[in-house]
């Protein structure tokens, strides 16, 4: 099976997926740009490329956009059993898909998520429909993502669902940590002892909606501490709010490598994910895999798909301070950590690869 995969930038979890997939198929990956501008350089530093990697020359635009005819040129010179586009929104991807359509060359669309917008410009809708509806088959991680594809012209029977994750089997906590192990982690990372630890991880931007958590912390007593891990444009705004409200129970820890983030999660009681919208939300699964109860906005595809109220966390529907306060207290009182881990055992990269290979073979039989 000879496969071409086109991807925007080398996110480590995707590189791990490609490395594992390349053990089963003849895999070539075109990466448009080697860094998204909003990512810390350290995000990419441990990448190892154990597959055929093709870098194309082009112009980086904004956070993730890219302009190049390199994908098109590669398609002209090479033949593959499957051409899988992991996106359709960069100029490079649009040029490549336009070439595939023009020459009646089938392509598959592999998406990481999608939310149907409440309002959308007609031109933007038509562009999305053009690039999405012409794909031969689709790979989507959630039911809501499947509905997103259908909204833009995908045929339902041609959509495959797959378990999407940024975690390998070895990243998943396989047991409940002892009190001593948790104390050791807290001492190592200077996390206050004898407090309920709330944690949130993500880019500090308007969309991630961290401000609501500061309102929540203003109402909670000193039995609680909130740790926010991440960096971004809203950092100074958050610092000003924390200072103005004298929130001594809120700690900003900046960007941390994944291994450290996972340790912080192990020592936390509840993961908070207040995003205004997220086409997926890897951190939801990362938290659950480390035995952390998740309280998350229903506007994240991962949380909507995986969170079961009262079992492994709670979905937030109103984005109100009162709802967060209620659910935080409920979660700490009534949900065992084992439920979190048990709810996401299938969401590992190894299973994504196995499921995708079955789906690739099914497509090639048709």
């Amino acid at each position: 099976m000879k496969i071409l995969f086109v991807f925007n930038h080398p996110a480590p979890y995707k590189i791990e997926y490609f490395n594992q997939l390349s053990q089963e198929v003849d895999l070539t990956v075109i990466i448009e740009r080697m860094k998204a501008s909003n990512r810390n350089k350290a995000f990419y530093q441990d990448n190892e490329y154990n597959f055929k990697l093709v870098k194309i020359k082009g112009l980086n635009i904004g956070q993730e956009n890219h302009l190049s005819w390199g994908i098109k040129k590669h398609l002209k010179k090479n033949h593959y059993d499957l051409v899988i586009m992991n996106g359709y929104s960069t100029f490079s991807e649009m040029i490549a898909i336009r070439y595939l359509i023009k020459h009646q060359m089938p392509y598959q669309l592999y998406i990481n998520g999608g939310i149907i917008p409440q309002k959308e410009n007609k031109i933007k809708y038509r562009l999305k429909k053009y690039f999405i509806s012409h794909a031969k088959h689709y790979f989507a991680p959630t039911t809501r993502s499947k509905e997103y594809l259908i909204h833009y012209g995908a045929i339902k029977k041609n959509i495959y669902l797959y378990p999407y994750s940024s975690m390998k089997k070895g990243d998943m906590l396989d047991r409940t940590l002892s009190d001593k192990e948790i104390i050791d982690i807290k001492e190592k990372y200077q996390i206050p002892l004898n407090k309920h630890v709330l944690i949130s991880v993500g880019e500090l931007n308007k969309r991630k909606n961290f401000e609501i958590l500061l309102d929540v912390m203003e109402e909670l007593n000193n039995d609680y501490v909130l740790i926010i891990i991440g960096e971004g444009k809203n950092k100074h705004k958050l610092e000003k709010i924390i200072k103005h409200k004298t929130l001594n129970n809120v700690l900003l820890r900046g960007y941390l490598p994944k291994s450290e983030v996972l340790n912080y999660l192990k020592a936390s009681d509840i993961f908070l994910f207040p995003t205004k919208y997220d086409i997926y939300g890897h951190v939801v699964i990362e938290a659950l895999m480390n035995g952390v109860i998740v309280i998350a906005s229903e506007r994240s595809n991962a949380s909507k798909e995986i969170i079961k109220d009262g079992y492994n966390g709670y979905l937030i529907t109103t984005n109100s301070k009162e709802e967060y306060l209620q659910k935080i207290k409920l979660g700490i009182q009534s949900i065992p950590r084992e439920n979190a881990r048990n709810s996401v055992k299938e969401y590992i990269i190894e299973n994504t690869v196995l499921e995708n290979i079955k789906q690739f073979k099914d497509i090639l039989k048709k």
Side-chain angles (χ1 to χ4, degrees), residues 182-314:
I182 292 174
I183 289 171
D184 288 345
I185 294 173
K186 286 183 175 181
E187 289 180 342
K188 179 179 179 180
Y189 293 103
Q190 298 181 322
I191 301 171
L193 302 175
N194 304 318
K195 290 183 183 291
H196 297 304
V197 180
L198 313 178
I199 190 167
S200 194
V201 181
E203 185 180 351
L204 306 184
N205 58 34
K206 186 176 180 181
R207 178 170 63 86
K208 294 296 185 181
N209 197 28
F210 287 109
E211 288 85 349
I212 187 69
L213 299 186
L214 302 186
D215 292 340
V216 169
M217 294 308 294
E218 192 175 21
E219 299 295 323
L220 288 173
N221 59 37
N222 285 329
D223 291 338
Y224 296 83
V225 62
L226 170 64
I227 297 170
I228 298 175
I229 297 174
E231 58 185 26
K233 294 179 180 178
N234 269 24
K235 180 182 178 181
H236 295 304
K237 180 180 179 181
L238 295 176
E239 288 174 333
K240 285 182 180 179
I241 295 172
I242 291 168
K243 184 177 180 180
H244 175 72
K245 294 187 174 185
T246 319
L247 297 177
N248 298 320
N249 55 354
V250 178
L251 306 174
L252 299 182
R253 290 287 160 97
Y255 173 84
L256 294 174
K258 183 177 178 179
S259 59
E260 292 190 28
V261 173
L262 297 184
N263 280 331
Y264 269 87
L265 290 171
K266 291 180 178 73
S268 301
D269 298 297
I270 288 181
F271 180 83
L272 300 170
F273 193 52
T275 183
K276 292 180 179 178
Y277 69 92
D278 235 281
I279 66 168
Y280 193 65
H282 298 108
V283 287
V284 170
I285 293 174
E286 291 171 5
L288 290 169
M289 281 192 170
N290 281 280
V292 188
I293 299 157
V294 172
I295 297 174
S297 161
E298 66 172 355
R299 293 295 293 168
S300 152
N301 270 352
S303 58
K304 183 73 172 177
E305 187 87 358
I306 299 167
I307 300 302
K308 308 300 178 190
D309 273 357
Y311 177 71
N312 58 358
Y314 290 98

Side-chain angles (χ1 to χ4, degrees), residues 41-57:
K41 290 181 180 180
F43 180 67
Y44 303 97
Q45 67 183 7
D46 294 328
N47 278 346
E48 292 184 10
Y49 303 96
N50 301 323
F51 50 85
K52 298 173 187 174
L53 173 64
V54 176
K55 300 176 185 178
I56 57 174
K57 294 181 180 179

